[in-house]
Amino acid sequence: MIRLLKITLALLMLSLTPAFAVQPDEVLDDPVLEARARELSKELRCLVCRNENIDESNADLARDLRLVLRERLVAGDSDQEALDFIVERYGEYALLKPTTAGANWLLWAAGPLMLGLALLIAFLYLRKRADAGATPDTKDLSAAEEARLKEILDR
């Protein structure tokens, strides 16, 4: 019984570890280059799987991207040069975190701007509602109106 529990627990723990799709034939011999490739792979999107990085994707295109990235690193490219090569070839969509240059700044700013606009509208709405629900102040009444009000309340 204990042995079955240990095996079940071990299988459960294995299922919780991240699944990397990097094949053994893709791994570079140089551990430093391989570590750089793994870090850069986390920044690149699988163009088939959408929001999965190429290190975790089993798609053929992700494998091709991993191989191209490793080829560029072996050729002596810096991290930025390797990323620039892939962006030039596949477009900025290949980056999991797009840059804020060009028209992308509007996409980055849209969320906070919309939140600010919503908060301003809510504030103005609540202020208007509070002002509309306020009872009139009796100090603003004329003497005749106060007399009439007193007459009505005394009934």
Side-chain angles (χ1 to χ4, degrees):
M1 181 68 181
I2 298 289
R3 185 171 186 216
L4 180 65
L5 183 62
K6 287 181 180 180
I7 292 172
T8 305
L9 186 59
L11 289 175
L12 179 65
M13 294 301 286
L14 285 174
S15 69
L16 296 177
T17 60
F20 295 111
V22 177
Q23 302 298 316
D25 62 328
E26 298 174 33
V27 177
L28 296 172
D29 293 332
D30 184 2
V32 174
L33 282 179
E34 181 60 27
R36 282 178 55 202
R38 291 290 176 114
E39 283 303 311
L40 290 174
S41 294
K42 292 177 185 175
E43 297 179 30
L44 294 171
R45 175 191 323 266
C46 172
L47 301 172
V48 176
C49 306
R50 307 284 171 127
N51 285 332
E52 199 172 34
N53 67 43
I54 63 172
D55 216 16
E56 297 171 350
S57 174
N58 287 321
D60 291 336
L61 183 57
R63 176 180 165 80
D64 293 343
L65 283 169
R66 289 191 300 265
L67 291 173
V68 167
L69 177 65
R70 282 167 171 75
E71 285 173 10
R72 300 306 304 174
L73 292 177
V74 168
D77 285 1
S78 68
D79 292 354
Q80 191 58 48
E81 288 171 339
L83 289 176
D84 290 343
F85 178 81
I86 290 176
V87 167
E88 182 181 318
R89 195 172 209 189
Y90 295 97
E92 195 171 329
Y93 184 71
L95 296 175
L96 273 173
K97 184 180 176 189
T99 63
T100 56
N104 285 350
W105 70 269
L106 183 61
L107 295 173
W108 282 97
L113 288 175
M114 295 303 258
L115 176 64
L117 181 65
L119 290 174
L120 178 66
I121 290 171
F123 173 75
L124 293 174
Y125 170 77
L126 291 174
R127 194 170 98 187
K128 181 179 177 185
R129 186 172 171 188
D131 289 345
T135 57
D137 195 5
T138 56
K139 295 178 183 177
D140 295 341
L141 299 177
S142 67
E145 290 172 333
E146 283 186 35
R148 176 72 180 135
L149 182 61
K150 186 169 170 60
E151 178 184 326
I152 291 172
L153 291 175
D154 287 341
R155 286 187 193 174

